[in-house]
Amino acid sequence: MKIGIHKNPGSYGDSWIQYCEENDIPYKLVNCYDSDIVTQLNDCNGLMWHWNQNDYKAALFARQLTLSLEKKGVKVFPDVGTGWHHNDKVGQKYLLESVNAPLVKSYVFYSKKEALAWLHTTTFPKVFKLRGGASSVNVRLVTTKQQGKVLINKAFGKGFLHINRFYRFKDRVRLFKLEKDKKNARGILSGLVRIFFPTEVEKFSHREKGYIYFQDFIPGNKFDTRLVVIGNRCFGLIRYCRDGDFRASGSNVKDYDPKLLDKKCVKIAFDVTKKLNAQSLAFDFIWDSDCPKIVEISYCFGLQEANSTNCVGYWDADLNWFTPVNPTYFMIEDFIKKLK
Ligand SMILES: Nc1ncnc2c1ncn2[C@@H]1O[C@H](COP(=O)(O)OP(=O)(O)O)[C@@H](O)[C@H]1O
Ligand SMILES: [Mg+2]
């Protein structure tokens, strides 16, 4: 057994390497961006590569590489079922509908005519989202038909930038007010610079256009529930909404008390992960009266949020409680079991 690990400092790869060192697991460092990555893996039966939504290069080929390696007999983390829908809320809509998961009612249109026809018959508010993005940057409330029309015209006109730069800057100012430290001060500065000078990711990302995606707005949620399932373990936190806003993701106001995590959500998270046969899945839940509803899923998640220091323990599918939580170690432990 030998695992290829893609090295990218700051990614989950750091702790996967550490795990292999600590446990004498044979591994080698590989570079998934090399043209000969398939032959680099000739002496490996597994590949672990943490690619995320900010990686526009990975978005070009990670899914294709993963499927191809699976045909070669190389197991991958994230495997096809775990990773194909990453950062793709439109893909997740079809997927979650197909397995009868409780996704918030969602709508997608691929023509202006159909989108406008729907707009005239629907109720407001609705939530508009781009298919990609994190920390709520591409999520907006639409309170009137007129606002909906403006968005539809843009979606089928010049399209949307990959990231809403003004919203990002405003949110950085909010984070600084929340905690006046050096990191958040740097955040404001870079957010300001990036209004005028796009990042490499933005420069190379396509404009989002040719589709439009909405969800029913579920009112009254003061927080969302972020649960992560890795194998037979579920842990998480709640994230409070920004003041005067319906969006929780990226607010950085969190509570890790497990008593705040409702067992109904835990059960759904386990059920859906099992149906999708996913190695790792993070869920964002909100409440529609007393029914938990999913707003999005993702195979990876911010370790600054769901980590071993803050998440004190996890449940298994029978709701037994265990400690401690170490998400990246859970991933590699499960992966090694499958390889052996
Ligand atoms: N349909 C909805 N109704 C009410 N609140 C929502 C809805 N969808 C998302 N939210 C809120 O907005 C936040 C961001 O939405 P989400 O789809 O998770 O996008 P992101 O990828 O930016 O995290 C969520 O954390 C939740 O608090
Ligand atoms: Mg989210």
Side-chain angles (χ1 to χ4, degrees):
M1 186 201 79
K2 192 171 182 181
I3 308 175
I5 300 180
H6 176 85
K7 190 175 171 165
N8 175 21
S11 75
Y12 295 176
D14 296 344
S15 62
W16 295 334
I17 293 167
Q18 189 183 327
Y19 181 92
C20 291
E21 294 286 344
E22 286 169 1
N23 295 283
D24 284 327
I25 305 293
Y27 76 98
K28 81 184 226 193
L29 300 179
V30 295
N31 184 356
C32 290
Y33 303 91
D34 285 347
S35 181
D36 67 348
I37 178 63
V38 174
T39 43
Q40 280 183 36
L41 290 163
N42 276 349
D43 58 344
C44 294
N45 56 346
L47 166 71
M48 299 189 81
W49 176 22
H50 174 205
W51 52 278
N52 69 31
Q53 70 271 0
N54 294 322
D55 188 340
Y56 64 90
K57 290 179 196 162
L60 293 172
F61 72 95
R63 295 164 177 84
Q64 293 81 347
L65 175 65
T66 304
L67 190 118
S68 309
L69 289 173
E70 288 182 8
K71 297 282 174 212
K72 183 182 161 81
V74 175
K75 289 202 164 36
V76 183
F77 182 95
D79 63 15
V80 170
T82 303
W84 76 262
H85 46 77
H86 183 53
N87 203 33
D88 179 5
K89 292 181 171 78
V90 174
Q92 292 162 24
K93 171 191 183 293
Y94 298 123
L95 183 65
L96 295 173
E97 285 173 358
S98 300
V99 297
N100 284 324
L103 171 72
V104 170
K105 179 121 182 72
S106 304
Y107 312 82
V108 64
F109 303 99
Y110 300 101
S111 82
K112 186 171 172 175
K113 197 170 148 219
E114 280 169 83
L116 286 173
W118 169 80
L119 191 75
H120 287 295
T121 57
T122 196
T123 54
F124 295 91
K126 285 284 181 285
V127 178
F128 161 79
K129 300 184 181 184
L130 294 182
R131 69 194 307 166
S135 300
S136 305
V137 286
N138 293 329
V139 174
R140 286 193 229 175
L141 197 63
V142 182
T143 51
T144 63
K145 199 183 278 185
Q146 188 48 34
Q147 283 175 3
K149 227 180 201 169
V150 171
L151 291 168
I152 291 171
N153 282 333
K154 197 163 171 184
F156 295 97
K158 72 175 180 177
F160 297 91
L161 288 176
H162 193 66
I163 282 174
N164 185 332
R165 294 182 200 158
F166 290 98
Y167 176 74
R168 177 175 58 192
F169 174 65
K170 248 178 71 188
D171 207 48
R172 298 263 170 101
V173 173
R174 183 193 60 84
L175 284 173
F176 180 70
K177 283 186 186 154
L178 212 65
E179 201 176 339
K180 293 191 178 62
D181 61 5
K182 267 192 196 156
K183 182 175 152 255
N184 288 337
R186 272 200 305 272
I188 293 193
L189 204 67
S190 76
L192 185 65
V193 171
R194 283 174 187 176
I195 289 180
F196 304 101
F197 302 100
T199 59
E200 192 186 335
V201 181
E202 288 159 358
K203 259 193 267 178
F204 283 94
S205 302
H206 301 288
R207 275 185 172 263
E208 290 288 314
K209 57 197 230 177
Y211 74 94
I212 193 151
Y213 181 65
F214 294 100
Q215 283 182 341
D216 280 346
F217 171 62
I218 312 297
N221 281 277
K222 293 195 166 55
F223 57 87
D224 80 352
T225 301
R226 157 57 61 90
L227 291 182
V228 177
V229 175
I230 303 171
N232 192 29
R233 317 166 191 86
C234 179
F235 52 92
L237 64 148
I238 66 163
R239 308 178 297 187
Y240 287 99
C241 294
R242 294 157 174 85
D243 280 343
D245 195 324
F246 72 103
R247 293 167 296 193
S249 162
S251 71
N252 219 19
V253 190
K254 307 163 247 190
D255 197 327
Y256 291 89
D257 184 349
K259 284 197 221 68
L260 299 171
L261 306 176
D262 195 284
K263 300 295 185 317
K264 276 192 205 168
C265 298
V266 174
K267 195 179 165 311
I268 294 169
F270 272 124
D271 283 352
V272 174
T273 307
K274 196 169 167 194
K275 279 184 184 161
L276 300 181
N277 200 16
Q279 297 154 308
S280 162
L281 219 48
F283 294 79
D284 294 349
F285 285 102
I286 55 175
W287 288 87
D288 186 358
S289 307
D290 55 355
C291 294
K293 291 274 167 74
I294 300 170
V295 292
E296 71 155 343
I297 54 173
S298 166
Y299 90 84
C300 62
F301 44 87
L303 280 184
Q304 75 286 0
E305 217 166 53
N307 59 28
S308 44
T309 318
N310 297 323
C311 296
V312 287
Y314 63 90
W315 289 279
D316 69 8
D318 297 321
L319 299 182
N320 300 304
W321 179 253
F322 298 90
T323 58
V325 170
N326 195 338
T328 46
Y329 275 29
F330 292 163
M331 289 166 185
I332 191 163
E333 276 165 15
D334 290 356
F335 192 64
I336 289 169
K337 268 192 207 135
K338 286 269 157 59
L339 289 186
K340 276 184 175 163

